[in-house]
């Protein structure tokens, strides 16, 4: 028995990979295959990632991406007191530290020119009702008059000095009364009374109330305001609670 190359008629078998066959007798050598008879091996291109398009580089082989750029914005820092206008430095020296700062539009007038009797009585009653430890509350204006005389007084707001002063006084929270004060301190104008926000840029919790003159005039708002303050200021006030 012998192995022999298949004849040209068996080209179909060659395409299937069969090149020799076992027979009980010898067969004459087959004539060379013509070009049309030679089996054609199909060209199978190497598999490519589905995101590779002809003429374009693969995203896998692209240049490495740059790391995300860090936020280079300079964090807020209090304005040094040496750079404050003289009236603000004087007022800070006369203000005692406190965990909670109160402010309203006419506070500067009440502190520097003549206190308003109705507003003073309002705060005496309110702080007594809150029953927080001594040293919890303090009053710090966001605007000061340009003169210490009642005639021709003009209130000049300064939000940057206000927040710097609140920081210097050790405040953890700020109670802002009225939309005029909210606007002067660059706080959201749509924040309603009896709400609060965390002013992360200044490191303060801000609590919003109605204008003090409105609260004095409309006593029906007093109960809701008191409940809001007791609930909102409890944790800060407890920092001063005796151990």
């Amino acid at each position: 028995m012998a192995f022999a190359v298949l004849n040209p008629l068996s080209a179909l078998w060659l395409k299937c990979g069969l090149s020799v066959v076992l027979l009980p007798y010898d067969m004459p050598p087959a004539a060379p295959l013509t070009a049309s008879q030679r089996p054609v091996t199909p060209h199978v291109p190497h598999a490519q990632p589905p995101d590779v398009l002809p003429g374009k580089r693969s995203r896998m082989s692209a240049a490495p991406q740059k790391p995300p750029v860090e936020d280079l914005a300079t964090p807020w820092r209090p304005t040094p007191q040496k750079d404050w206008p003289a009236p603000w430095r004087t007022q800070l020296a006369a203000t005692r530290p406190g965990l909670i700062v109160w402010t309203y539009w006419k506070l500067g007038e009440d502190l520097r020119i003549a206190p308003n009797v109705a507003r003073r009585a309002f705060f005496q009653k309110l702080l007594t009702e809150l029953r927080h430890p001594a040293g919890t509350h303090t009053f710090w204006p966001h605007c000061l008059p340009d003169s210490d005389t009642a005639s021709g007084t003009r209130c000049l707001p300064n939000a940057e000095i206000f927040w710097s002063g609140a920081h210097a006084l050790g405040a953890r929270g700020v109670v802002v009364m009225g939309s005029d004060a909210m606007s002067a301190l660059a706080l959201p104008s749509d924040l309603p009374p009896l709400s609060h926000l965390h002013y992360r840029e200044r490191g303060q919790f801000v609590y919003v109330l109605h204008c003090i003159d409105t609260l004095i005039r409309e006593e029906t708002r007093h109960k809701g305001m008191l409940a809001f303050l007791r609930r909102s200021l409890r944790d800060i006030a407890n920092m001063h609670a005796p151990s």
Side-chain angles (χ1 to χ4, degrees), residues 41-42 51 77 88 111 153 228 234:
T41 302
D51 61 346
R77 296 184 183 280
W88 293 91
L111 293 174
T153 299
F228 168 76
R234 180 178 57 240

Side-chain angles (χ1 to χ4, degrees), residues 11-55:
L12 179 64
W13 295 104
L14 288 173
K15 293 180 180 180
C16 296
L18 181 64
S19 58
V20 294
V21 64
L22 180 64
L23 294 175
Y25 54 87
D26 292 337
M27 293 185 65
L33 297 178
T34 64
S36 62
Q37 293 174 332
R38 293 192 183 98
V40 178
T41 302
H43 173 69
V44 180
H46 295 291
Q48 295 183 349
D51 61 346
V52 178
L53 299 178

